[in-house]
Amino acid sequence: MDSKNLKSNMSDQALLNSNSQGISSVPSSRSISSEESGDHKPEIVPVYSERKFTRSQLMTVAILCFVNLINYMDRFTVAGILSDVQCFYGIDDSQGGLIQTVFIIAYMVFAPIFGYMGDRYSRRLIMAVGVAFWTVAALVSSFIPQEHFYWFLIMRCLIGIGEASYSTIAPTIISDLFVDDLRSKMLALFYFAIPVGSGLGYIVGTFPKTTLGVEWQWGLRITPVVGTVATLLIIFMLVDPPRGQAEGSKMEATSYAEDLKSLVKNPSYILSTAGSTAVAFVAGALAWWGPKFIALGKAVHLHDNTVDMGQVSFVFGLLAMIAGITGVPLGSFAGQRLRVRFPRADPLVCAFGLFMSTPLMLGVLLMAGVNTDATFVLAFFGQVFLNLNWAIVADILLYVVVPTRRATAAAFQILISHALGDAGSPYFIGQVSEALKPYFNTSSEILVDANGSLGNSSQLISTPMPPLSGNCSNSTLNLDDYVPLQWSLTMCIIVQMLGGLFFLATAVFLVRDKEKADRTVATANGSVLTTRSLTPEDSSTGCDNPALEKEPIVN
């Protein structure tokens, strides 16, 4: 059979019975009739990104993106006002890092539970209840009095539970609405909200105090209002399609044990999860400690008391948002364009982003105490490269895992990436910083080397010690804050390099695991897929993977 007109799909091979209802058909020039195929089994044809999408589909994606945006806004609102929170509750760096850690621990522990439910029950109901739950918890957290810090931690745990219900399920809805490059574009739009929402979190957190002059707690009361709107949109306007609809899949859900066994045997899934874990570690540490570290570096550089933590957080958040606007679609676009000729392009783009981001982030650590403007520039481009991977990692999961296991796969990817990534990195960085302070203890002066960084006491120059506005009135800035934090953040550089290596390893197995998923879906629909070698003609027609042919099942 001549299959040169069949185009493979790196965002899940889309398979349809010729008599499938409710899904747009592909152009007739791309279809193969039963007569041409020489058998009378159900017709299996790819679905292309050219298919039109409906208004309800577009509305569903818009709602999911909106909720994901406020999800990450809330997650990093506290980071923007961290010094105020530390001052109010009287906590040190290790306890400050614990705020984000307890949130992520709850988030990752409940993710597999919601993943299991998302593969079997109403996804719209689960998300609506979850968003409403974290909205209430976020509002309550803003009223916790200063003598009850651990109640504040409990509220952050509850917020993590609510957000887990949404984050594990939302990408699977997009995967059931779209295929091919259109799915990649929609995922890029969805994950676009991660860095943009994180950046907005800093801005929203600091806006009430710096602009309106009210207490910092008002920064925590903005996302609950928007979260209420999101809950109503999910209940009344979101479409929850049948699982596997975009592929025309007839697969039934298997047992939880079978799902987990299949995922463990999927090296592309395991290795890409390891790579995303490295990204989560770095992103979590920098997002939590980045503004404070840059503020400390600026104070060291200026040797005065004019440093405003709120202003630094605002600029950091604005740059993070712009970096996300740039990096997420750039990564998705690069993956879509390069995979036409290089089927393994997706993980290679992720590895490239991490390897390019590493020296830039090292530059941030070295320049913070020397030149604040240069530090912001390096941080911006470092985050652009770091953001290349968000949509691509999700896309990889969706095309190497069959439709009935995607929510479970996403849930365990969240569990692993957060457990070993940003669940511990803020707390870990804070603990290392606290542990190093006795070795750089200068109770009455700032000690800075000639370059403003990474010095030791025998090489340092003594200068007057200014206070840092934004902390408590009786706080002072010294090496107990700046240099130990600088050293502890170097852990991120090592983890970034490891992440790049994991993505390189993913590229080795990607094509094989993608084809295995295609075959499983095809078999469930009454046909199987076989591969043939790529030809120059395939490249000219945009084929991005060894072409796929339809053959009868041999019993």
Side-chain angles (χ1 to χ4, degrees):
M1 180 186 73
D2 182 10
S3 60
K4 65 181 181 180
N5 288 326
L6 285 178
K7 179 181 177 183
S8 65
N9 171 19
M10 287 301 290
S11 290
D12 270 308
Q13 180 68 23
L15 303 173
L16 291 175
N17 287 328
S18 58
N19 60 352
S20 295
Q21 300 297 318
I23 301 179
S24 303
S25 61
V26 296
S28 58
S29 62
R30 302 258 187 180
S31 303
I32 301 175
S33 66
S34 298
E35 291 77 8
E36 289 173 325
S37 65
D39 60 67
H40 299 285
K41 292 189 179 293
E43 179 71 16
I44 306 297
V45 295
V47 173
Y48 301 106
S49 59
E50 290 88 350
R51 60 169 290 206
K52 296 180 179 179
F53 49 84
T54 65
R55 182 178 299 177
S56 62
Q57 289 175 320
L58 188 61
M59 176 62 71
T60 295
V61 173
I63 293 171
L64 294 176
C65 292
F66 173 66
V67 180
N68 206 31
L69 185 74
I70 62 175
N71 187 344
Y72 279 87
M73 277 176 55
D74 176 78
R75 193 173 300 185
F76 288 98
T77 296
V78 176
I81 53 176
L82 181 57
S83 292
D84 293 301
V85 175
Q86 288 182 285
C87 172
F88 184 77
Y89 289 109
I91 57 177
D92 59 19
D93 282 353
S94 62
Q95 291 172 303
L98 189 62
I99 296 173
Q100 185 73 345
T101 295
V102 296
F103 165 86
I104 296 297
I105 289 175
Y107 180 80
M108 71 183 187
V109 168
F110 280 84
I113 298 174
F114 290 116
Y116 175 86
M117 296 170 64
D119 280 334
R120 291 160 177 82
Y121 306 111
S122 170
R123 293 178 287 191
R124 178 168 60 182
L125 178 61
I126 295 170
M127 289 192 299
V129 173
V131 173
F133 184 80
W134 73 252
T135 295
V136 173
L139 182 62
V140 172
S141 71
S142 69
F143 294 99
I144 304 297
Q146 62 186 127
E147 64 270 18
H148 296 297
F149 170 66
Y150 287 101
W151 276 107
F152 185 81
L153 291 181
I154 291 173
M155 288 301 107
R156 296 306 297 177
C157 282
L158 297 181
I159 293 171
I161 294 172
E163 291 191 11
S165 68
Y166 171 81
S167 298
T168 55
I169 294 174
T172 68
I173 293 179
I174 294 177
S175 73
D176 290 332
L177 291 173
F178 307 100
V179 292
D180 199 25
D181 283 350
L182 185 56
R183 173 187 289 168
S184 298
K185 292 181 176 70
M186 294 302 174
L187 285 172
L189 185 63
F190 178 77
Y191 285 100
F192 179 82
I194 293 180
V196 175
S198 301
L200 283 176
Y202 294 108
I203 297 172
V204 168
T206 58
F207 176 80
K209 181 179 179 181
T210 58
T211 304
L212 304 178
V214 297
E215 295 297 324
W216 61 268
Q217 286 90 339
W218 283 97
L220 301 179
R221 296 166 186 164
I222 297 176
T223 49
V225 175
V226 188
T228 303
V229 176
T231 303
L232 297 175
L233 289 174
I234 292 172
I235 294 173
F236 295 108
M237 302 191 70
L238 185 130
V239 174
D240 186 1
R243 292 166 182 84
Q245 171 184 282
E247 293 93 350
S249 172
K250 297 180 180 179
M251 296 184 66
E252 298 292 335
T254 54
S255 70
Y256 202 49
E258 288 182 70
D259 291 349
L260 296 181
K261 183 178 179 180
S262 174
L263 294 176
V264 169
K265 292 183 177 181
N266 190 328
S268 294
Y269 169 74
I270 296 297
L271 290 169
S272 62
T273 298
S276 67
T277 300
V279 175
F281 183 97
V282 175
L286 293 178
W288 196 252
W289 293 112
K292 182 174 182 179
F293 174 70
I294 294 176
L296 289 165
K298 184 177 181 179
V300 167
H301 171 59
L302 296 177
H303 304 115
D304 62 27
N305 61 355
T306 62
V307 176
D308 184 351
M309 181 69 183
Q311 182 184 32
V312 172
S313 294
F314 181 88
V315 175
F316 186 89
L318 183 63
L319 291 178
M321 185 171 60
I322 297 173
I325 293 173
T326 306
V328 174
L330 181 62
S332 180
F333 175 78
Q336 293 172 50
R337 296 291 293 179
L338 291 174
R339 72 170 71 127
V340 172
R341 293 184 179 274
F342 306 104
R344 294 177 173 83
D346 282 346
L348 295 179
V349 171
C350 294
F352 172 79
L354 284 173
F355 289 141
M356 290 297 295
S357 177
T358 299
L360 294 169
M361 290 304 181
L362 180 60
V364 170
L365 299 183
L366 296 175
M367 292 296 295
V370 179
N371 188 309
T372 304
D373 292 337
T375 302
F376 276 127
V377 171
L378 291 169
F380 169 75
F381 285 105
Q383 289 182 90
V384 168
F385 284 109
L386 196 63
N387 286 327
L388 294 181
N389 78 90
W390 291 114
I392 297 177
V393 170
D395 212 6
I396 291 173
L397 182 150
L398 294 175
Y399 63 65
V400 300
V401 177
V402 297
T404 55
R405 292 171 178 154
R406 286 173 184 159
T408 299
F412 273 92
Q413 188 171 81
I414 287 174
L415 171 63
I416 295 169
S417 63
H418 290 307
L420 303 177
D422 56 350
S425 62
Y427 182 68
F428 175 72
I429 296 299
Q431 284 283 47
V432 172
S433 176
E434 290 293 328
L436 291 175
K437 283 182 180 179
Y439 301 98
F440 300 97
N441 186 12
T442 57
S443 58
S444 62
E445 60 186 4
I446 291 181
L447 299 180
V448 192
D449 69 8
N451 294 318
S453 60
L454 298 177
N456 59 60
S457 58
S458 63
Q459 300 171 323
L460 302 178
I461 304 170
S462 177
T463 59
M465 177 178 58
L468 179 65
S469 62
N471 282 348
C472 300
S473 58
N474 61 349
S475 303
T476 56
L477 174 64
N478 53 46
L479 281 178
D480 288 348
D481 296 313
Y482 175 65
V483 175
L485 186 57
Q486 185 182 47
W487 276 103
S488 62
L489 284 171
T490 58
M491 300 294 109
C492 295
I493 306 303
I494 299 172
V495 173
Q496 277 186 289
M497 295 297 295
L498 290 175
L501 294 176
F502 282 128
F503 281 121
L504 289 180
T506 303
V508 176
F509 301 96
L510 186 73
V511 172
R512 186 198 70 181
D513 291 337
K514 192 266 176 187
E515 289 176 352
K516 182 179 179 181
D518 290 343
R519 289 175 186 277
T520 303
V521 176
T523 301
N525 285 320
S527 295
V528 297
L529 297 174
T530 60
T531 61
R532 64 178 174 82
S533 300
L534 264 175
T535 66
E537 187 173 2
D538 291 325
S539 298
S540 65
T541 58
C543 182
D544 55 5
N545 197 26
L548 300 169
E549 293 182 340
K550 179 174 77 84
E551 290 183 349
I553 295 178
V554 179
N555 294 319

